[in-house]
Amino acid sequence: MIEQSKDAKRFDGILKFVGPIARKPSLAIITKTLMVSLAKLTIVSRKANKKESIQALTKEWLRMFPRETCSIEKVEDETGYGLVHANCPLVGTGDVAACYKMMEYDRALMRKIGGKLTVIESRANPNVKGACKIAIRKLDDKRNDLIPAHLI
């Protein structure tokens, strides 16, 4: 078994802490506040920069995470497709709404660097196997063809 990096262990700890909070509808505002605050901390600590191209946006998104937790599948038609392999406490729970709340972290990161992120398959859905699937587009992209996982 491959040893996790310190960053990945720290990231896992944050997910384990926030997961139960995100599952409680009455704590939605706390979850959002936590995720946006953590995104701001990441933006500062990783020195995130605004990007102009979809290729640069996907690379910058990837750079914000421990190397073991995310990957890029492909970039096509001005959309970057990625996978999230993080050890998420929501896997298989059926609580895709909590996943949406926790992914505010990624959406806040992307807004800061000039992009937007949509989760198109969430492992919180018990029917999804493997990694979560995300799509990244430029912030000014007006297309609305991606269906967010929490709406399926």
Side-chain angles (χ1 to χ4, degrees), residues 2-3 14 18 22 41 43 50 57 71-72 74 83 85 91 98-99 104 115 122 126 128 139-141 145-146:
I2 298 172
E3 180 73 20
I14 291 167
V18 177
L41 181 63
I43 288 162
K50 189 167 181 155
L57 280 167
S71 60
I72 300 298
K74 62 185 174 181
L83 301 173
H85 314 278
V91 173
C99 170
E104 182 60 29
S122 170
V128 173
L139 199 53
D140 62 359
D141 190 312
D145 56 317
L146 299 172

Side-chain angles (χ1 to χ4, degrees), residues 31-44 48-51 57 60-61 64-65 99-119 134-137 139:
T31 303
K32 184 167 185 163
T33 301
L34 278 170
M35 300 321 288
V36 170
S37 297
L38 289 167
K40 287 178 181 178
L41 181 63
T42 300
I43 288 162
V44 170
N49 293 303
K50 189 167 181 155
K51 302 297 178 188
L57 280 167
E60 188 72 348
W61 171 76
M64 297 295 109
F65 292 89
C99 170
Y100 179 80
K101 293 176 205 169
M102 288 179 69
M103 291 301 286
E104 182 60 29
Y105 173 83
D106 297 67
R107 290 189 300 275
L109 283 174
M110 292 309 300
R111 284 190 299 271
K112 179 65 175 174
I113 65 173
K116 56 185 173 182
L117 181 139
T118 303
V119 176
I134 60 95
I136 294 171
R137 289 188 170 155
L139 199 53

